[in-house]
Every structure is written in C-alpha cells, then in structure tokens.
Amino acid sequence: MLTTSLDPQAAEARPRLLDTVDRVCEMCFGLFMALTFVGAVSAVGAPADASRTMFYTALGCNLAWGLADAVMYLVRTLTERGRRLSLVKAVRNAGDPADAIGRLREALSPALRTLVDDAQLEAMRGHIAQHADLPVRPALAPQDLLAAAGIFLLVVLATFPVALPFILFSDVPTALLVSRVLTILMLFGAGIALGRSAGFGGWMAGVVMTLVGIALTMAIIALGG
C-alpha cells in the first residue's frame, strides 16, 4: 500500500513500536512454539526430569525462533522501504506523467485502486516531482531495532505461561492442567484483542481464536512440529 509520505524511512516513524495485530501475532507464534513441546508431555509415565528438560528445550527453541523472527522483521522492513524508495524515484524521474500515474496506481492495494481517481494520483505525482530530499538508499532506524527487540521478547515471553508450570509443579498432571488453562486464557485474550482491532465482536473472536489455536497446535504436533 502506498503511503502519502515521500520519505520511505520517515513514513514508519511512529510512537508505537508494534500495533495490536503485530503484538498478538508474535505472542501467538511463541505460544504455538511452546505448545508443541508441552503437547509431547504425557501425564503418565513421564521421566522424573521430563518437565525440566521440556521447559529448557521450549525456551531454547523460542529464543532461536524469536531471534530469527526479529532478524526477518528487519529484513522485511528494509526490503519494503527500498521498494517504496524505488517507486518514488521512478515516479519523480518518469518523463511521461501517464506512466508515473500508472506506477502509483499499481502500488495501491486492490481495494484502494477503485477509490482513488487519476486527478488525486496526479496531485501526488506533482508533489513527488517537487520533492528533492530523498535518501540515497533505504536504511534502518533505531525505532526498527526497538521493534525487532520487541518481537524477540514477545516470542520468548510467550514460553513462560505455557512451560513454567512444569518447573513450579513437581506433579506432571497438575502442571499440564495449569499449562492448558493458561494457554486457553492466552488464546482467548489474543482473540479478543484481534477482534476488537478488526471491529468484530471481542468475545466471539476470543472463542474462535481459542478453537483455531487448539486445532493448529494439534496439527503441528501431529505433523511432528
């Protein structure tokens, strides 16, 4: 989607590091990763050190995936910023105004293409043509590094509500019960947050998210995840 700012780097400078959808999705990602290990624990016949081993294995996995997810966020941000910078330069350097308008229209999402007419795109093209202060190349800002750190922390912290009961409770069935209750509560809360952000009913979205999360976790475990 095309932003109205001509500076591809300044366009994303905002006080909030990650929006609601980003935060909830990253939390759910870490939750699902931890659940794959918890789902492999049996309440009957589990070795004495199974709980502690599972906890540290789940934590190590989420540390690794949190790091990978944070790095890929930076790669994705830099790539998208470079794509927008290339578009702005191409529009500014286009010899034919019709070609520049066509490039701008292609950059719009399908939903916006029907809402924006050529006169509005021409006004944007003229503004771009007069704008000379553009970065030479795309770059990351401190805000991006903070957002990546936030992603890493969300993925890692999602491990604890699911796996920590196995450290706190020596009885495996009790730990499993507490872990599953906390998991359901987290999925329900994630669904409410997403539902409210999308304008849906919060409670219904919470129920749907819980059911989807449980089904997805079962599928991940069944596939060997």
Side-chain angles (χ1 to χ4, degrees):
M1 176 179 169
L2 184 65
T3 176
T4 56
S5 172
L6 298 184
D7 188 341
Q9 293 170 204
E12 295 182 5
R14 52 185 181 181
R16 181 176 294 180
L17 295 179
L18 298 169
D19 61 24
T20 300
V21 176
D22 290 332
R23 294 197 301 270
V24 172
C25 289
E26 293 299 339
M27 184 273 291
C28 287
F29 176 73
L31 180 63
F32 293 143
M33 293 299 297
L35 281 173
T36 60
F37 293 93
V38 173
V41 176
S42 173
V44 180
D49 62 342
S51 297
R52 190 172 297 274
T53 300
M54 183 278 304
F55 172 78
Y56 287 115
T57 303
L59 179 60
C61 177
N62 276 20
L63 283 169
W65 278 108
L67 178 61
D69 207 18
V71 171
M72 290 310 301
Y73 167 82
L74 295 176
V75 172
R76 186 170 62 252
T77 298
L78 191 62
T79 301
E80 178 63 18
R81 204 162 280 167
R83 186 186 68 83
R84 290 201 302 266
L85 179 60
S86 297
L87 171 65
V88 170
K89 289 181 177 180
V91 169
R92 189 179 63 177
N93 297 330
D96 184 5
D99 178 53
I101 292 176
R103 290 176 181 269
L104 288 172
R105 184 168 295 281
E106 289 179 1
L108 295 172
S109 65
L112 286 178
R113 288 175 188 171
T114 59
L115 301 177
V116 179
D117 57 30
D118 287 350
Q120 293 171 306
L121 293 177
E122 170 58 26
M124 185 178 296
R125 185 202 67 80
H127 187 39
I128 292 175
Q130 298 173 2
H131 189 82
D133 186 17
L134 288 176
V136 177
R137 61 181 62 87
L140 295 172
Q143 187 85 355
D144 303 315
L145 300 179
L146 289 175
I151 289 174
F152 174 78
L153 288 176
L154 284 171
V155 174
V156 173
L157 291 177
T159 308
F160 291 94
V162 180
L164 192 58
F166 292 89
I167 296 295
L168 300 178
F169 299 96
S170 58
D171 183 58
V172 174
T174 301
L176 275 172
L177 177 62
V178 173
S179 175
R180 287 167 181 170
V181 169
L182 290 176
T183 298
I184 291 174
L185 291 175
M186 290 181 67
L187 288 172
F188 185 72
I192 289 178
L194 288 177
R196 289 177 176 174
S197 178
F200 303 138
W203 291 97
M204 183 59 67
V207 172
V208 172
M209 184 64 183
T210 301
L211 296 176
V212 170
I214 293 174
L216 180 59
T217 301
M218 293 173 62
I220 292 173
I221 294 173
L223 293 172

